[in-house]
Amino acid sequence: MGHIVIFTDDPGWHGKQLRLAFANLGYNSDYVSLTQCSFTIESGMNPISIPGFQRALPDAAFVRGVPGGSLEEVVLYLDFLHALKVMNIPVYNDGYAIERSVDKGMTSFLLHNAGLPTPLTWVLRNREDALSIAEIELKKGNLLISKPLFGSQGEGIRRIEKMTDLFWLTNSHGVYYLQRFVHCSGVGFSDNRVFVINGQVVAAMRRRGKSWLNNVARGASCERIDVN
């Protein structure tokens, strides 16, 4: 039976689903934090140390999360992923994909640059400019979303609905990420997620939230949908 490493610091419900999916395909899998890995550059030795894989490298690596940290720490975590790929270990998502999508600013730019419809977005450092943008949008009758540049599962996301909300507008390590709020169509709160691999739609789901924040970690439910 094959052996896969799942890189994550918080397996959660998605980690359990991944392990079940891999088991159905005939693979064992272990959760490992990238913080536990290391390099040993010595002749005749495996250069990458991964807990639970001392005898042999994994058959594949699935990256569920990259820990935060200093610039040097994050670069090291990505180095491990780059090295595994160089050693012909399938890595999903690989280091290059993570570098392009780990921060919401670059993700928004790449989506827009590829011609995909993208909500109006601002990424900047100056607080006065951020406040000015928010005031103009509110006066136009628009709502704004403030997000940390890094992060997932709905953590740190706030909706700016009125002028008094600007008092607690905070940056994320010196950076403001603001996005015009897109209202859900139909009844209730929901959004769709479509998974595309090599230009082909392979799966899709609808997330139904208890509020405007449709993250499963915030209480939303998921349902499979068919995409034509």
Side-chain angles (χ1 to χ4, degrees):
M1 180 176 281
H3 200 182
I4 294 175
V5 59
I6 301 174
F7 286 123
T8 180
D9 286 86
D10 180 21
W13 67 271
H14 34 72
K16 295 178 182 178
Q17 291 295 313
L18 280 173
R19 293 195 73 175
L20 287 173
F22 288 139
N24 289 335
L25 294 173
Y27 288 89
N28 288 323
S29 57
D30 287 335
Y31 303 129
V32 176
S33 171
L34 284 166
T35 63
Q36 299 173 296
C37 301
S38 63
F39 280 126
T40 300
I41 311 301
E42 182 178 347
S43 179
M45 289 188 61
N46 180 355
I48 307 176
S49 174
I50 303 174
F53 297 85
Q54 287 81 3
R55 293 185 178 181
L57 289 174
D59 295 294
F62 193 101
V63 185
R64 186 61 191 88
V66 176
S70 67
L71 174 61
E72 290 83 356
E73 288 171 323
V74 174
V75 168
L76 177 61
Y77 304 150
L78 293 175
D79 284 346
F80 295 139
L81 304 182
H82 288 311
L84 286 171
K85 189 172 182 179
V86 168
M87 299 176 72
N88 297 317
I89 304 298
V91 180
Y92 189 89
N93 296 296
D94 66 25
Y96 293 112
I98 292 172
E99 287 170 354
R100 294 192 297 269
S101 61
V102 69
D103 77 88
K104 297 179 180 68
M106 179 54 70
T107 301
S108 295
F109 164 76
L110 291 173
L111 291 173
H112 175 75
N113 197 53
L116 297 174
T118 308
L120 187 56
T121 304
W122 299 265
V123 187
L124 65 161
R125 294 199 69 241
N126 186 278
R127 177 172 176 78
E128 294 304 317
D129 289 343
L131 288 171
S132 176
I133 290 168
E135 289 178 3
I136 291 172
E137 284 295 296
L138 289 174
K139 288 178 181 178
K140 290 180 179 179
N142 299 317
L143 306 183
L144 282 177
I145 296 294
S146 172
K147 303 179 182 180
L149 201 61
F150 302 127
S152 60
Q153 302 187 55
E155 294 184 3
I157 297 179
R158 292 179 178 270
R159 186 166 69 171
I160 301 171
E161 303 176 351
K162 53 189 180 300
M163 289 295 186
T164 53
D165 292 340
L166 298 180
F167 288 116
W168 51 254
L169 179 62
T170 57
N171 61 55
S172 174
H173 298 283
V175 177
Y176 294 91
Y177 179 97
L178 302 173
Q179 198 166 60
R180 182 178 288 176
F181 181 71
V182 178
H183 292 273
C184 300
S185 61
V187 179
F189 304 96
S190 67
D191 61 24
N192 297 336
R193 288 205 163 185
V194 180
F195 296 88
V196 180
I197 300 177
N198 292 329
Q200 298 294 319
V201 175
V202 297
M205 70 174 181
R206 178 173 291 116
R207 303 186 304 177
R208 294 191 181 276
K210 295 181 178 180
S211 69
W212 57 268
L213 198 56
N214 296 318
N215 294 83
V216 175
R218 295 292 178 265
S221 60
C222 297
E223 59 186 55
R224 179 178 176 176
I225 58 175
D226 294 323
V227 179
N228 297 324

